[in-house]
Amino acid sequence: LPVYKVDTLEDLAAFKDSYGDIFTMEQGRDKYLSFDGAVAKAQWDNEAFYNEYTMLAVYIPATSGSSIFYVADVQAKDDSFCVYVAQEDKGVASEDMAGWFILMQIKDKEVSGYTDFNAVLNKDAIKE
């Protein structure tokens, strides 16, 4: 899965400029906030946040809008940081396409040693 590392407010603006036409950043669904809504609610849209933290955005493409995704595990080894994403299906699968972001905040000092960022949809961790 694609992982986007955002270290500064300028990185956030560049990410939105680069991908704003590809990802729907302002549309949420049900109780789930949009990308913009989640970033604003967490106050990750200001310079003070990036003075101490890094934001990771994991993008999950989905063939059904009824699937829910969550972080099942995070593993860090040597220079690699990997997020394992699990899937939970809510009832009957819908036929609409959806894409989801999992947003994470990590202290700069905890993420500074990693150069390789990955995310994996861990099908073994799927909830029934």
Side-chain angles (χ1 to χ4, degrees), residues 49-106:
F49 171 79
Y50 295 102
N51 289 336
E52 188 175 350
Y53 294 96
T54 294
M55 179 180 74
L56 293 183
V58 177
Y59 179 73
I60 304 114
T63 57
S64 172
S66 63
S67 296
I68 304 299
F69 301 91
Y70 60 94
V71 175
D73 194 13
V74 174
Q75 295 182 8
K77 184 178 179 184
D78 300 325
D79 63 349
S80 294
F81 187 95
C82 187
V83 178
Y84 290 88
V85 176
Q87 176 179 344
E88 182 176 347
D89 291 313
K90 297 286 188 180
V92 178
S94 61
E95 292 184 16
D96 56 332
M97 296 287 292
W100 300 93
F101 280 105
I102 292 178
L103 303 179
M104 302 173 65
Q105 78 175 29
I106 304 169

Side-chain angles (χ1 to χ4, degrees), residues 22-48:
I22 298 169
F23 301 132
T24 306
M25 306 260 187
E26 68 286 335
Q27 182 180 345
R29 181 169 184 175
D30 301 326
K31 64 180 179 179
Y32 301 99
L33 297 173
S34 67
F35 177 90
D36 288 341
V39 168
K41 183 174 182 176
Q43 298 181 350
W44 296 350
D45 55 355
N46 65 66
E47 195 64 44

Side-chain angles (χ1 to χ4, degrees), residues 1 8 35-36 40 48 122:
L1 302 170
T8 65
F35 177 90
D36 288 341
N122 185 356

Side-chain angles (χ1 to χ4, degrees), residues 9 15 37 76 94 97 107 123:
L9 196 55
F15 172 76
S94 61
M97 296 287 292
K107 286 192 178 257
K123 300 212 182 283

